[in-house]
Amino acid sequence: MCRICEELHKNCRGTWNRFQDGKRVVDFVLAYNGQDQSEEMARKRTTFQQNLQAEGLEIEAECSQRIHFIKIHVPQEVVSRYCEIMRMQMPTAKLPGQDNIAPKDFSVSGLLVKLFRRPLFSFVIIDRDKFRKKEYTLQHEYTRDKAYLFDDTQPEFFTPSIRIAVAHFILERTYFNVGEENKYDIGLRKLLNDKVYLDAYPLHDGNTDMPEVECQRTLLLQEWASVVRWIKHQPLDHIKEYFGVKVAMYFAWLGFYTHMLIWASIVGLMCFFYGLLTFRSNRISQDICNDNSTIMCPQCDAKCDYWRLNDTCTTSQLAHIFDNNFTIVFAVFMSIWATLYLEMWKRYSSAIQHRWGITNYCSLAEPPRPQYLSRLKDSKKTIFNIITGTQEPSPPFWSKKLPSFLYSYSVIFLFISLAIAAVFGIVIYRMSLMTSRNIYGDPDAVSTKLLLLPATAAIINLIVSTILNFAYDYVAVYMTDIEYRRTQSEYNESLNLKIYLFQFINYYSSIFYIAFVKGKFPGYPAKYNRIMTLRQEECSPGGCLMELCIQLAIIMIGKQIISLILEILIPFLLQKFREFRSVLGIEGEESENGEKLICCNQWTKDFTLISWTDRSLFEEYLKMIIQYGFITIFVVAFPLGPLFALLNNVFETRLDAKKFLLYYKRAVPQRVRNIGMWYNVMHVLGKVAVISSAFIIAFSSNFIPRLVYMYVVSQDRTDRGYLNHTLAYFNVSDFEPGVAPLASKFENVTVCRYHEYRNPPGMDRPYKRPLIYWHILAIRLAFVVIYQNVVSFVQIVVAWAIPDTPGRLQDQIKREQYLTNEFIIQQEKVKTRERKGGRNSQRRRNGTLSRQQSSLDEYGTVSVTEEEGEDENFVRRRPNGNDPYNPERFQECEIVTSRV
């Protein structure tokens, strides 16, 4: 921080994040360009801010610089009122019998402590002196009617994250226009889209340029976001208090997923080292390396020469490292691991949900998106909303809604087809390279070329997929904007689905090609199967699994490295550029950021940070789910995949934390029950992984053909002679025109070999499929069916055996509910006796009925009138159906009395 800013910070420390009185904390900030002379925008801002004050918010404007800031403070009364409206789960006061409840630790460290002694793993536990563990308290839905349950007079009862959430809730539901014709002009989001405000954000806690000043942000930055602390567990409670449940749930899931990868990495390393230790004794590799006489048929037309089988010695040895007897064991393990991981996550998250008070949370009725309402401003069709009890505009299905969906998804599928076409183009590129192998230098270096070709193709595929991602991202947003999505949740889910479908095709299609298509239908030298006059690619004698491994390694590891670099580099450069531009004021007059800001307080400091959006967390989930697909669907071909994923996630967690704390504006705390649609996506990927593993083992590896040879063909039940059994004979005089080598270093070649099961020349049916081929095909298909059913059955058993919620936690929840209900019953009895005594005394004094005002409703503030009488009163609340989105405008509730 510059010397001037440091001096300003010292001088303004009392008002760094407060109003000018130095007492009221700034909970939210609105920023706009003070030189914007638009009367319409000024009128909207004035109306909006007046309505915010009518809701009870306190506002203070700062107009000393070009960018004007509207500081918002949420008073205690407004916080308590809206906590009731939003049905917040709040900690209760200490109840009788609470000390007997032993809360369950939901941290991953709790799982490790059960398996190992704590001193052995003490270095991974977070520093409890810095992250003090809060005393466990019961939680209950906040209501002012039951004030005896809560100690809301404590200054820290309503935390900053709750105040921010309340402020954002009000901002999203406040009108900025008057009149019946402007009844849909509502909410901060529309004002931001219309550029009435440049930005709106809550403030970070503290200034990172002065770490000596203690604050929650600096503590998290030093003890959680630091890569040096990568071995430490995450302070999830403190993350939740700072960012809210939605962000904390992401880090909780990422931490759990990373810990589960430890076991997958260990088994993957066992598979890798087994192949590494046995590759020299592998019979197939020995036969290939020791065979100096077998001449193989050319791998391309005319320009390729014959080659010796032992030229692929190195390739066959490397292939054995990944395609060995341990491979099928690893495949079964990973299929069970995927199910175990999902079931354990449900158990793990159930404890988190209970601790954070979101077990029974369901989102409130969302108001329509401002963009949705603006598009339907002139629509005459309405539909009854059963939640709010009002008539809402609705797009005609046949004339607007259906055509928009068809148009949107037609373009989406067009781009998905484009991604498939790009993969097809890379396949054609690989086929064309086979016809000009001499460009790679020494034509004798066949093994080098066999590795170089897939490597270059994989790099090209990675570059093309990255470019397509940027283009498709823009198209997906544009197409979703065309659709008539009523709420922001519906909009986000539609956009997320589009992007994930494209990412799935973009990253996985080339791998599916190598795993299931390449080398399966090449034909034979007398009649090759061709595409655009080019011969299809063939698998080497070592099989296609080695090439699949290379493709996976380059795409998966390359994507992770690129993501890690861009993830921290782009936000850093963007934030520094915004800060540099703001400090120097180098932009033109028409630019919204063309201002010279002096960072003398927290809101000007945070203004230069990157804005937090609905998609900020989506991008993080997407990267991890793509990675999860790599290590489950194709893990058979790349046993080291879980290890690289583990290493990536260790740094990913810390870099994400640093990015959110340093380069992004503070996220608005949001409540969610779980990780949303991503759990279902992982569940589907787990099912796909079982099928994929079965087909890869059956059709891309040598496992099934070698077993058939050992138990059907071989006399001594060994694989001696297996390689020769898999190579067919071909008479070079039977070549198609233009296929035979134009020039050859081999003399007097009459017969060459190729990797296929076909009859040799001179038999009754030359070059036709022998009976053993059909036996192997039948066993391959049988293996797929048996493997899929057996593994799926084991998955079902595992899912059934592991309950979603631990039994101990269920007992604890029941116990807490019992204690809370008993305490409420006792307190209500006391209130009833006091109320009756007060009524009798009041009647004797003046004979009149007292009236008491309170407010409570699911949709907003509701005035309730309670009449005193001899009978117990039961209040029936009814919102004002004319205005479901303004929480202050409700009818008085009816009074229903009934004798007890």
Side-chain angles (χ1 to χ4, degrees), residues 298-317:
Q299 291 188 310
C300 67
D301 297 341
K303 295 183 179 181
C304 292
D305 195 3
Y306 301 104
W307 53 283
R308 295 190 184 277
L309 179 62
N310 60 3
D311 290 339
T312 60
C313 175
T314 304
T315 305
S316 64
Q317 290 176 338

Side-chain angles (χ1 to χ4, degrees), residues 7 21 71 139 142 206 256 258 270 350 451 469 550 576 696 788:
E7 290 298 327
D21 57 15
K71 297 172 288 184
Q139 298 206 30
Y142 183 77
F256 181 84
T258 303
M270 292 171 59
S350 64
L451 296 177
N469 278 343
I550 295 174
K576 290 301 179 184
I696 290 176
Q788 180 182 349

Side-chain angles (χ1 to χ4, degrees), residues 727-738:
L727 299 176
Y729 292 88
F730 180 74
N731 192 330
V732 298
S733 61
D734 296 332
F735 270 125
E736 292 178 300

Side-chain angles (χ1 to χ4, degrees), residues 24-41:
R24 292 173 291 176
V25 177
V26 178
D27 297 312
F28 222 91
V29 173
L30 306 178
Y32 66 93
N33 192 338
Q35 296 185 0
D36 186 0
Q37 301 299 325
S38 172
E39 294 183 1
E40 179 67 17
M41 289 186 176

Side-chain angles (χ1 to χ4, degrees), residues 98-316:
Q98 179 180 330
D99 293 335
N100 298 327
I101 298 178
K104 181 177 176 58
D105 187 6
F106 67 84
S107 65
V108 182
S109 60
L111 301 176
L112 293 177
V113 169
K114 291 181 180 179
L115 300 176
F116 305 100
R117 298 176 61 184
R118 181 179 291 273
L120 183 62
F121 285 89
S122 60
F123 61 90
V124 304
I125 308 300
I126 59 177
D127 190 346
R128 288 300 181 188
D129 292 333
K130 297 179 179 178
F131 294 102
R132 297 185 181 275
K133 191 173 183 179
K134 295 182 179 180
E135 182 181 0
Y136 182 74
T137 57
L138 307 185
Q139 298 206 30
H140 192 272
E141 184 178 309
Y142 183 77
T143 170
R144 291 174 293 175
D145 288 345
K146 297 180 177 61
Y148 49 80
L149 273 178
F150 310 96
D151 193 5
D152 54 6
T153 58
Q154 294 294 327
E156 297 182 356
F157 181 78
F158 296 109
T159 61
S161 62
I162 292 178
R163 305 174 71 89
I164 294 171
V166 168
H168 184 260
F169 184 87
I170 297 174
L171 289 168
E172 288 289 347
R173 289 157 178 78
T174 300
Y175 291 89
F176 54 85
N177 260 331
V178 294
E180 182 65 22
E181 68 279 3
N182 299 316
K183 62 181 179 180
Y184 298 126
D185 290 342
I186 177 176
L188 177 63
R189 191 183 298 269
K190 184 170 176 55
L191 290 174
L192 292 173
N193 291 335
D194 295 342
K195 306 300 181 181
V196 176
Y197 290 105
L198 298 181
D199 212 340
Y201 51 92
L203 297 183
H204 275 294
D205 178 28
N207 186 1
T208 57
D209 292 328
M210 301 188 69
E212 67 275 5
V213 180
E214 294 185 2
C215 62
Q216 189 73 2
R217 184 187 186 189
T218 303
L219 178 62
L220 290 173
L221 192 61
Q222 294 175 347
E223 299 295 329
W224 170 51
S226 175
V227 178
V228 179
R229 311 287 185 185
W230 66 270
I231 196 71
K232 298 285 187 181
H233 290 119
Q234 302 182 82
L236 294 179
D237 282 335
H238 293 77
I239 299 171
K240 175 252 181 183
E241 288 300 326
Y242 193 83
F243 287 112
V245 174
K246 187 174 183 178
V247 176
M249 186 67 74
Y250 163 73
F251 283 105
W253 168 78
L254 182 57
F256 181 84
Y257 170 49
T258 303
H259 279 81
M260 288 295 293
L261 282 174
I262 295 175
W263 313 111
S265 301
I266 292 174
V267 181
L269 281 173
M270 292 171 59
C271 180
F272 174 77
F273 283 119
Y274 175 84
L276 195 64
L277 296 173
T278 60
F279 80 95
R280 293 189 180 275
S281 61
N282 179 39
R283 176 80 63 180
I284 298 177
S285 298
Q286 289 179 347
D287 291 345
I288 292 177
C289 295
N290 297 330
D291 191 335
N292 195 33
S293 60
T294 301
I295 298 177
M296 303 297 293
C297 296
Q299 291 188 310
C300 67
D301 297 341
K303 295 183 179 181
C304 292
D305 195 3
Y306 301 104
W307 53 283
R308 295 190 184 277
L309 179 62
N310 60 3
D311 290 339
T312 60
C313 175
T314 304
T315 305
S316 64

Side-chain angles (χ1 to χ4, degrees), residues 322 330 548-549 552-553 556-557 634-642 644:
F322 303 100
F330 182 58
L548 181 60
C549 175
L552 278 169
M556 179 180 174
I557 300 175
F634 308 106
V635 73
V636 175
F638 190 39
L640 294 180
F644 284 105

Side-chain angles (χ1 to χ4, degrees), residues 43 82 204 207 333 626 831:
R43 185 187 60 79
Y82 273 88
H204 275 294
N207 186 1
F333 169 81
I626 293 294
K831 285 179 61 178

